[in-house]
């Protein structure tokens, strides 16, 4: 019994010493409390005794609990619950309490056993915070998978993290590629820095560089006591006491830095650091994913733009021949928008009927090929297409098959539009033919010029010696005189033919001058008649009193030749060709080419054939096209020549027979009737035949017969002559004694030294020396050119004996008068 009492006493002592005991009386005043209860409230047992327990509870938070406690205890029942107490220094604590009613000596007491619930609450709060953070991580992970912009994601994450960890401020920095600077991408409660505007320099000695080199988050419990690195001035303000920073992303390729600031000197716990690291990892994955999506979108857009800007038709067909992709160039060529093309059957819509089956067979052969993943099928062939507006385009196609797991699913066709290229090739061939024709004409012109030169020398001898023979002929020999006359007459006809050949010679480009068209037209028609078949009849009507017109004679001959050949082709060498030349007053008509309204009098050359005629549109095409065929190119050449002479052209088709069953083409060439001043001629001087005495002439011509004829002509007239067939020898003779000759007569085209060069060197020694230059054919010298060289006489071969003798006497008379003056 004594042992049991001791054990009970010991148990009571242990309970009083290690439990929290509070005994309330019937009025709920503290009747007794042990030392542990007083310690929890940070006061003494004496201070608590006889005080109402209500004075030490947190009224606002425990009002309902206290009322429930009072009602329960007053009803003599046991109460269990949680009470919130306020310590003497104002701290709030939570205690789990159990009050059991007890009656001692007829007094009612309530014995309470209390337990400090703060550790349990702290554990529960920690679990709640951990669960809350895990929920935040899950929510953030879901948000990061959405289409939210990166900047918005960073700002929202920063605000949530600061609130969850009890941090006052925070920023997220984006590191530059070179790692030498960082841009503030998101900021929370940091008025000293602004997102997307503040740039912070990074270095090994400051926070940014230190965080980049650290393998773990960097925490600082006291910023003032931190000596490991420096703080950028942009980040720190006086209210910050501690901070935590860590990298976002892998250390080798970080996106940026997460920095949190606290106004308290505190350090994040392990689970808080894990939470922050998890958030950082989610941001890194989200940012990388956003970057990859942006990069993929950029590559996709870039590929699309590459396809669209390519000057190649790119069309993708599925295995049902439908268009699944067409670039802008294909849309432009086919004449449909890209949206309209999508889903259309390409083969039925754009491949011509005649090659449609060939294209379809080729397409399905591509789809049935057995391909390995590393094999591509490339084919190339030329096939036409018919565009939406029914135009045919020639396309050179290349194709390749797209496979999905070795199964062909579509075909890519890349086409190069070679329509213009083929047209250019045809035009090139035509131009080459025209060039070949022009080269042949050039060769003929050169040949004609050479023949004219040589033939002129022959004619000069024939005509010259004929004149000399007739001059010395006995008047009684009439028959011989008749023979010589016929020889001279034939020579003159040959001379006229040579002159026409020289005018038509394409190599000779003399300047335009006043031309009498009737005689020029008659002579040209005589020469060109042989170029037309005898089955063509030419009817001419040429008015004799046509005023002179201003035109290049050789180009007029070319014009007429081309038009006659054009008419010959149109008439197939048969029928009647009418040529009419007269003066007409043209009113109310327009030039076929330039469109100018005509309202003047013109010299009109009309060429009318009885061919099939020509439409107005065809006329325009012939005049404007550079690729007109050789059969019709004469119209374009005629138009160019006429307009270069300030003339106009009217081309029309008209009925030409009485039954109106046949129509022909009428071409009217209009030349302006300008007032042409008479060419200035040398003043007619009275010739003193006495000047012939003792006058010595030099004759220079590489043709011995011509030089002999001219020398004989002037010897018979009483002159002393010296004939030379070598121009260099003649110059050397002249240089030895420039005053021994009174006049020089020289040919132009000679080996060694041409006539103009010979004259120039002689005039340098004797500027007043009269020189007569004779030429049979030359592109280098004209009458105007000779005058510019101060050559006083210019004659065309074969020269007329009387004209040459008269010109010589005139020049010598003129020179004599100058000396006397």
């Amino acid at each position: 019994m004594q042992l049991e009492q001791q054990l009970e006493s010991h148990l009571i002592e242990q309970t009083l010493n290690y439990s929290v005991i509070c005994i309330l009386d019937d009025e709920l005043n503290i009747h007794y409390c042990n030392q542990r209860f007083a310690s929890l409230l940070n006061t003494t047992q004496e201070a608590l005794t006889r005080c109402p327990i209500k004075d030490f509870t947190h009224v606002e938070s425990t009002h309902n609990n206290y009322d429930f406690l009072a009602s329960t205890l007053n009803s003599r029942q046991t109460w269990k619950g949680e009470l919130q107490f306020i310590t003497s220094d104002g701290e709030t604590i939570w205690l789990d309490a159990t009050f059991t009613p007890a009656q001692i000596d007829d007094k009612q007491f309530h014995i309470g056993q209390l337990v400090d619930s703060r550790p349990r609450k702290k554990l529960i709060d920690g679990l709640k915070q951990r669960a809350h953070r895990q929920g935040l991580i899950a929510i953030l992970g879901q948000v990061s998978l959405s289409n939210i912009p990166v900047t918005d994601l960073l700002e929202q994450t920063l605000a949530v993290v600061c609130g969850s960890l009890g941090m006052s401020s925070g920023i997220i920095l984006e590191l530059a590629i070179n790692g030498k600077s960082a841009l503030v991408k998101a900021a929370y409660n940091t008025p000293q820095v602004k997102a997307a505007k503040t740039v912070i320099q990074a270095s090994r000695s400051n926070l940014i560089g230190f965080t980049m080199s650290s393998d773990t988050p960097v925490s600082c419990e006291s910023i003032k006591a931190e000596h490991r690195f420096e703080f950028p001035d942009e980040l720190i303000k006086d209210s910050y006491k501690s901070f935590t920073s860590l990298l976002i992303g892998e250390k080798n390729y970080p996106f940026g830095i997460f920095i949190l600031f606290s106004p308290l000197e505190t350090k994040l716990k392990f689970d808080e650091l894990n939470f922050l690291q998890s958030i950082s990892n989610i941001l890194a994955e989200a940012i990388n994913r956003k970057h990859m999506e942006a990069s993929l979108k950029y590559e996709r857009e870039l590929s699309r733009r590459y396809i669209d800007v390519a000057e190649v038709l790119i069309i993708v067909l599925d295995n049902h021949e439908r268009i699944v992709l067409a670039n802008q160039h294909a849309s432009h060529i086919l004449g449909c928008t890209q949206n309209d093309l999508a889903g259309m059957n390409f083969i039925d819509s754009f491949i011509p009927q005649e090659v449609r089956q060939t294209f379809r067979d080729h397409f399905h052969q591509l789809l049935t090929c057995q391909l390995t993943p590393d094999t591509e099928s490339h084919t190339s062939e030329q096939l036409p297409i018919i565009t939406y507006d029914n135009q045919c385009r020639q396309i050179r196609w290349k194709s390749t098959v797209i496979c999905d797991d070795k199964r062909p699913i579509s075909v890519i066709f890349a086409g190069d539009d070679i329509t213009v290229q083929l047209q250019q090739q045809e035009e090139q061939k035509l131009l080459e033919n025209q060039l070949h024709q022009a080269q042949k004409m050039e060769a003929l012109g050169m040949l004609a010029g050479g023949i004219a030169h040589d033939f002129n020398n022959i004619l000069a001898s024939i005509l010259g010696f004929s004149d000399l023979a007739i001059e010395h002929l006995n008047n009684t020999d009439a028959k011989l005189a008749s023979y010589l006359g016929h020889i001279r007459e034939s020579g003159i006809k040959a001379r006229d033919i040579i002159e026409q050949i020289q005018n038509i010679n394409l190599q000779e480009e003399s300047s335009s001058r006043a031309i009498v068209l009737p005689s020029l037209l008659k002579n040209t028609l005589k020469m060109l008649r042989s170029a037309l078949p005898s089955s063509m009849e030419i009817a001419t009507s040429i008015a004799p009193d046509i005023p002179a017109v201003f035109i290049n004679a050789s180009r007029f001959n070319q014009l007429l030749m081309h038009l006659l050949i054009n008419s010959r082709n149109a008439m197939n060498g048969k029928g009647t060709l009418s040529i009419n030349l007269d003066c007409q007053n043209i009113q109310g008509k327009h030039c076929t080419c330039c469109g100018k309204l005509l309202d003047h009098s013109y010299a009109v050359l009309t060429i009318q054939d009885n061919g099939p005629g020509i439409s107005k549109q065809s006329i325009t095409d012939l005049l404007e096209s550079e690729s007109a065929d050789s059969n019709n190119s004469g119209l374009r050449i005629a138009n160019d020549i006429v307009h270069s002479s300030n003339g106009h052209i009217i081309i029309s088709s008209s009925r030409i027979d009485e039954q109106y069953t046949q129509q022909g083409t009428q071409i009217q060439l209009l030349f302006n009737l300008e007032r042409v001043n008479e060419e200035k001629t040398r003043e007619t001087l009275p010739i003193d035949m006495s000047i012939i005495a003792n006058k010595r002439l030099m004759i220079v011509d590489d043709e011995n017969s011509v030089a002999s004829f001219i020398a004989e002509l002037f010897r018979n007239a009483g002159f002393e002559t010296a004939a030379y067939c070598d121009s260099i020898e003649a110059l050397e003779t002249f240089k030895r004694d420039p005053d021994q000759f009174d006049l020089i007569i020289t040919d132009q085209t000679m080996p060694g030294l041409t006539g103009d060069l010979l004259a120039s060197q002689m005039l340098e020694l004797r500027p007043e020396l009269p020189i007569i230059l004779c030429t049979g054919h030359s592109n280098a010298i004209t009458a105007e050119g000779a005058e510019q060289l101060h050559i006083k006489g210019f004659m065309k071969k074969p020269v007329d004996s009387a004209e040459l003798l008269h010109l010589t006497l005139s020049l010598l008379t003129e020179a004599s008068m100058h000396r006397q003056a």
Side-chain angles (χ1 to χ4, degrees):
M1 189 66 179
Q2 185 177 3
L3 178 60
E4 290 179 356
Q5 291 178 352
Q6 290 179 353
L7 289 174
E8 184 179 352
S9 176
H10 184 69
L11 178 59
I12 293 172
E13 182 180 357
Q14 290 293 325
T15 300
L16 293 175
N17 290 334
Y18 295 101
S19 298
V20 180
I21 303 297
C22 177
I23 299 176
L24 304 178
D25 60 17
D26 194 32
E27 295 179 356
L28 300 184
N29 296 322
I30 298 175
H31 179 77
Y32 170 81
C33 68
N34 66 350
Q35 182 60 39
R36 287 184 61 83
F37 182 77
S39 299
L40 286 174
L41 297 182
N42 197 22
T43 184
T44 62
Q45 291 175 290
E46 291 77 9
L48 294 173
T49 304
R50 297 184 180 86
C51 291
I53 192 172
K54 186 177 181 179
D55 294 345
F56 299 97
T57 59
H58 195 284
V59 178
E60 293 182 1
S61 60
T62 61
H63 180 71
N64 293 333
N65 284 347
Y66 182 80
D67 291 343
F68 180 62
L69 170 67
S71 63
T72 300
L73 294 181
N74 290 333
S75 63
R76 304 294 190 270
Q77 294 181 6
T78 300
W79 182 89
K80 290 183 179 182
E82 187 178 51
L83 291 176
Q84 186 178 14
F85 291 90
I86 301 175
T87 64
S88 60
D89 55 1
E91 183 182 357
T92 300
I93 63 173
W94 290 89
L95 298 177
D96 289 331
T98 301
F99 286 94
T100 303
Q103 188 171 357
I104 303 174
D105 297 335
D106 298 330
K107 292 184 178 181
Q108 188 68 32
F109 294 95
H110 306 280
I111 300 174
Q113 290 183 329
L114 299 92
V115 177
D116 188 357
S117 62
R118 286 180 295 176
R120 178 179 59 82
K121 276 190 160 298
K122 188 175 182 180
L123 178 60
I124 292 174
D125 289 342
L127 292 175
K128 288 181 178 179
Q129 288 181 0
R130 185 174 299 177
H132 174 69
R133 290 169 186 157
Q134 291 298 327
L136 290 179
I137 292 174
I139 293 173
L140 181 61
Q142 291 296 324
V143 172
S144 68
L145 295 175
S146 65
N147 293 326
I148 184 173
V150 173
T151 302
D152 294 344
L153 176 64
L154 295 179
E155 290 178 350
Q156 294 181 17
T157 301
L158 187 59
V160 170
V161 169
C162 287
S164 177
L165 297 179
M167 293 293 188
S168 63
S169 305
I171 61 172
I172 294 178
L173 303 177
E174 180 183 8
L175 293 171
I177 296 177
N178 57 13
K180 295 182 179 180
S181 63
L183 175 67
V184 177
K185 292 293 291 182
Y188 175 76
N189 196 24
T190 54
Q192 74 276 20
V193 295
K194 295 183 179 180
K197 291 186 178 181
T198 305
V199 178
I200 302 173
Q201 299 301 317
S203 67
R204 294 182 179 180
S205 61
N206 69 4
L207 169 62
I208 298 176
F210 188 84
T211 304
M212 291 172 60
S213 62
S214 177
D215 296 327
T216 59
V218 178
S219 295
C220 176
E221 191 171 353
S222 175
I223 292 177
K224 292 183 178 180
E226 182 58 63
H227 300 292
R228 294 173 296 174
F229 45 79
E230 299 175 353
F231 289 92
D233 296 336
E234 298 89 347
L235 299 181
I236 300 303
K237 66 178 183 177
D238 296 338
S239 60
Y240 297 155
K241 302 299 181 181
S242 62
F243 79 91
T244 299
S245 68
L246 74 162
L247 284 178
I248 301 175
E250 298 180 3
K251 183 178 180 180
N252 294 334
Y253 303 101
F255 164 76
I257 298 177
F258 211 134
I259 305 177
L260 301 176
F261 297 98
S262 174
L264 303 176
E265 291 187 354
T266 182
K267 191 174 183 179
L268 293 181
K269 298 181 179 63
F270 180 76
D271 60 329
E272 293 174 331
L273 289 176
N274 286 340
F275 167 70
L276 189 59
Q277 187 67 62
S278 299
I279 295 296
S280 174
N281 293 340
I282 291 176
L283 290 180
E285 292 178 2
I287 292 169
N288 288 336
R289 185 168 56 254
K290 297 288 185 183
H291 285 176
M292 291 178 64
E293 290 174 355
S295 178
L296 183 61
K297 183 179 179 181
Y298 171 77
E299 293 293 337
R300 187 184 300 113
E301 181 66 16
L302 189 63
S303 299
R304 187 186 67 81
R305 290 182 179 271
Y306 280 153
I307 292 174
D308 281 340
V309 301
E311 291 294 327
V312 176
L313 289 84
I314 298 179
I315 298 173
V316 181
L317 304 183
D318 62 13
N319 52 12
H320 297 292
E321 305 175 358
R322 294 174 302 199
I323 300 174
V324 296
L325 184 147
N327 68 341
Q328 288 184 359
H329 190 65
S331 171
H332 174 72
I333 295 297
L334 296 176
C336 293
T337 66
Q338 290 174 288
N339 291 334
D340 291 340
L341 288 174
M344 293 179 64
N345 187 298
F346 176 73
I347 297 178
D348 289 338
S349 302
F350 299 105
I351 301 301
Q353 183 68 38
E354 59 271 16
V355 295
R356 186 172 298 169
Q357 191 59 44
T358 301
F359 192 96
R360 178 171 276 119
D361 293 342
H362 167 72
F363 172 74
H364 289 287
Q365 286 173 5
L366 289 174
L367 288 176
T368 56
C369 287
Q370 298 298 320
L371 301 174
T372 58
D374 57 347
T375 303
E376 290 185 347
S377 174
H378 293 281
T379 61
S380 177
E381 59 181 329
Q382 178 182 329
L383 285 173
I385 61 171
I386 300 297
T387 65
Y388 191 76
D389 54 357
N390 206 31
Q391 291 184 1
C392 181
R393 311 290 296 183
Q394 294 294 330
I395 310 296
R396 183 183 293 116
W397 294 102
K398 291 184 179 179
S399 57
T400 183
V401 178
I402 300 176
C403 297
D404 182 12
D405 193 20
K406 299 183 181 181
R407 182 176 61 87
I409 59 173
S410 59
V411 178
I412 298 178
F413 287 95
D416 186 12
D417 188 352
I418 58 174
T419 307
V420 176
Q421 180 181 344
L422 294 176
Q423 292 175 351
Q424 290 176 346
Q425 289 177 357
E426 292 298 324
E427 292 177 0
Q428 180 68 24
K429 291 180 181 178
L430 181 59
L431 291 175
E432 290 176 356
N433 292 335
Q434 291 178 353
L435 176 61
H436 183 60
Q437 185 70 18
Q439 290 172 341
K440 290 195 296 184
M441 295 297 292
E442 180 181 0
L444 288 174
M446 294 178 63
L447 179 61
I451 293 174
H453 174 266
D454 294 339
F455 201 44
N456 271 329
N457 287 331
I458 296 173
L459 288 175
S461 300
I462 293 173
L463 292 174
F465 283 112
S466 296
D467 289 340
L468 290 176
I470 292 172
E471 183 179 343
H472 290 82
L473 185 66
N474 191 329
N475 292 333
T476 60
D477 197 346
K479 184 175 288 190
L480 182 58
S482 175
Y483 293 162
L484 290 174
H486 285 302
I487 293 174
R488 189 177 188 280
E489 195 173 308
S490 298
I492 291 174
K493 289 181 180 180
R495 181 187 65 186
D496 294 339
I497 293 175
I498 292 299
E499 184 177 359
Q500 293 298 322
I501 292 176
Q502 287 179 315
N503 286 335
I504 295 176
N505 178 12
L506 300 179
Q507 295 298 309
E508 184 175 353
E509 286 293 340
S510 59
S511 59
S512 299
R513 59 190 179 91
I515 297 294
V516 178
L517 282 182
S519 60
L520 179 61
L521 178 59
K522 291 177 181 179
N523 292 331
T524 304
L525 288 175
K526 286 180 182 179
M527 184 186 65
L528 294 178
R529 184 62 182 89
S530 60
L532 301 176
S534 58
S535 56
M536 281 182 60
E537 180 183 350
I538 300 179
T540 60
S541 175
I542 302 175
D545 55 348
I546 302 296
V549 298
F550 202 68
I551 193 174
N552 181 294
S554 62
R555 299 205 69 188
F556 176 82
N557 288 333
Q558 295 172 32
L559 175 153
L560 190 59
M561 177 182 69
H562 282 289
L563 290 182
L564 292 180
I565 293 174
N566 219 54
S567 297
R568 179 198 65 186
N569 297 335
M571 298 166 61
N572 293 321
K574 298 179 181 179
T576 301
L577 179 65
S578 300
I579 299 176
N580 179 70
L581 177 64
D582 59 1
C583 287
Q584 297 182 27
N585 185 17
I586 306 296
Q587 297 288 336
K589 294 184 178 181
H590 294 268
C591 176
T592 302
C593 179
C594 67
K596 182 179 179 181
L597 180 63
L598 308 176
D599 57 354
H600 295 290
S601 294
Y602 299 91
V604 181
L605 175 61
T606 304
I607 300 176
Q608 172 81 54
D609 64 51
N610 60 353
I614 186 169
S615 67
K616 184 176 181 180
Q617 181 60 42
S618 300
I619 293 171
T620 304
D621 293 342
L622 290 173
L623 292 177
E624 295 180 355
S625 173
E626 292 293 332
S627 58
D629 57 51
S630 58
N631 291 333
N632 295 310
S633 60
L635 292 176
R636 181 165 48 83
I637 295 174
N639 172 65
D640 294 340
I641 294 175
V642 170
H643 278 81
S644 66
S645 301
N646 296 321
H648 296 283
I649 185 170
I650 299 175
I651 305 176
S652 60
S653 294
S654 60
R655 303 289 182 178
I656 61 174
D657 61 342
E658 295 180 355
Q659 289 77 25
Y660 292 94
T661 59
Q662 194 175 18
Q663 64 178 6
T665 300
Q666 183 184 79
I667 302 174
Q668 291 180 299
L669 309 179
L670 281 59
F671 302 97
N672 284 317
L673 296 174
E674 300 179 2
R675 186 180 296 276
V676 181
N677 295 328
E678 295 184 359
E679 297 182 359
K680 293 182 178 180
T681 58
R682 185 180 308 278
E683 290 186 23
T684 303
L685 300 175
I687 298 176
D688 184 3
M689 299 303 294
S690 63
I691 63 173
I692 297 176
N694 301 322
K695 296 299 181 182
R696 193 161 188 252
L697 308 182
M698 174 183 281
I699 314 299
V700 185
D701 198 303
D702 59 326
E703 285 291 333
N704 182 50
S705 59
V706 176
S708 300
F709 147 65
I710 296 175
E712 183 68 18
L713 174 66
F714 283 98
R715 276 197 296 269
N716 291 340
F719 290 93
E720 294 183 15
T721 61
Y724 295 88
C725 294
D726 187 339
S727 58
I728 296 178
E729 179 185 357
L731 179 61
E732 293 300 325
T733 303
F734 181 83
K735 286 182 177 180
R736 286 195 292 269
D737 186 4
D739 294 327
Q740 63 178 313
F741 297 105
D742 298 290
L743 185 139
I744 308 295
I745 301 174
T746 177
D747 186 23
Q748 165 62 18
T749 305
M750 297 182 293
L753 200 64
T754 58
D756 55 344
L757 295 178
L758 175 64
S760 297
Q761 296 191 35
M762 288 181 171
L763 290 172
E764 288 181 0
L765 300 176
R766 281 185 60 189
E768 78 286 354
L769 177 68
I771 298 178
I772 298 175
L773 181 64
C774 301
T775 178
H777 172 77
S778 175
N779 294 324
I781 192 70
T782 61
E784 294 80 1
E787 185 178 356
Q788 292 176 0
L789 294 174
H790 303 290
I791 297 174
K792 298 182 179 180
F794 181 83
M795 295 189 72
K796 286 288 190 74
K797 284 186 175 183
V799 296
D800 184 90
S801 301
E803 290 182 5
L804 178 59
L805 185 59
H806 183 271
L807 178 59
T808 302
L809 292 173
S810 298
L811 292 176
L812 289 175
T813 302
E814 183 180 346
S816 175
M817 293 180 63
H818 280 298
R819 284 195 298 270
Q820 293 176 6

